[in-house]
Amino acid sequence: MSPSPMSPSSPPPPPAAAQPAAGDEPSTIGVLEEEARIGRERVVTGVLHIHKTVHDETEALHETGFQEYAEVRRVPIGRVVDAASPPRTERGVTIVPVYEERVRIVRELVLAEELHVSLRRVPFDRTLQLSRRRERVSVEHRDVAPDGSTTRD
C-alpha cells in the first residue's frame, strides 16, 4: 500500500504560494525589526522663586567690664644726681624721673621730682543699643504644567 499524501509519516506539502509557479518571479517578504533605546531627558517640573530681605534690628546688649585710669602723683625730690636714669616700675607703679638743670657757679644735675603713675580699675555695668543686620529668605515653589503654565504650592 502506498502512503497517502496526508499520512502522518510524510511531511506536509509546501504551500502553493511558497513555490514559484512556472514563469512567475519569486516574491519577497519584508522582515521588520524593532529597536528599543533607554535614555534620559531633562524636563522642567517646577520653578523656585527665592526672595531675600535684609532687616535692621536693634537689640540691647549688656556689658560688664572695667576702665583703667592713670593717676599721676607728683613726688618732689630735689636731689643732685650725676646722670639721668630711665623710667622704671616698682610694685606696679611706673616712675618717670623729671630732671632740670640749675645754673650756679657749678652746673649740676638735680632730680627735681618723680612722677609715680599707677593704673586704677573702675568696674562698670552698661547696656548698649546696637544695630545689626539679619537676612531672611523665603522660598516659593511653583509646579510647571505640561502646557507651560505654573501653579503655586
Side-chain angles (χ1 to χ4, degrees):
M1 183 174 175
S2 74
S4 73
M6 296 303 280
S7 73
S9 61
S10 66
Q19 292 180 356
D24 284 344
E25 293 274 332
S27 62
T28 303
I29 299 175
V31 178
L32 298 177
E33 177 181 342
E34 291 183 351
E35 285 185 9
R37 291 189 180 165
I38 297 175
R40 293 185 191 177
E41 179 179 337
R42 187 175 290 228
V43 176
V44 176
T45 60
V47 178
L48 286 180
H49 290 277
I50 299 175
H51 304 280
K52 180 171 101 171
T53 56
V54 177
H55 298 281
D56 283 332
E57 296 176 349
T58 301
E59 65 180 47
L61 176 67
H62 182 74
E63 176 185 30
T64 300
F66 62 89
Q67 290 181 330
E68 292 184 335
Y69 297 97
E71 293 180 345
V72 178
R73 182 172 51 102
R74 293 180 178 266
V75 179
I77 300 293
R79 182 176 67 222
V80 176
V81 294
D82 294 328
S85 61
R88 65 187 185 279
T89 302
E90 294 177 2
R91 294 185 299 267
V93 175
T94 302
I95 299 172
V96 180
V98 177
Y99 297 96
E100 65 182 30
E101 288 183 342
R102 294 184 186 163
V103 178
R104 296 189 335 181
I105 298 184
V106 177
R107 185 179 290 194
E108 60 187 4
L109 184 61
V110 176
L111 175 59
E113 68 177 336
E114 292 178 336
L115 299 179
H116 291 216
V117 180
S118 60
L119 295 179
R120 180 175 57 108
R121 287 187 176 193
V122 178
F124 65 87
D125 285 329
R126 67 180 173 191
T127 300
L128 303 174
Q129 296 295 323
L130 300 177
S131 178
R132 65 182 179 136
R133 291 183 177 174
R134 177 176 285 177
E135 294 182 347
R136 305 244 190 253
V137 177
S138 64
V139 177
E140 179 182 321
H141 181 262
R142 294 184 182 182
D143 290 331
V144 174
D147 64 356
S149 64
T150 60
T151 59
R152 290 186 179 196
D153 266 354

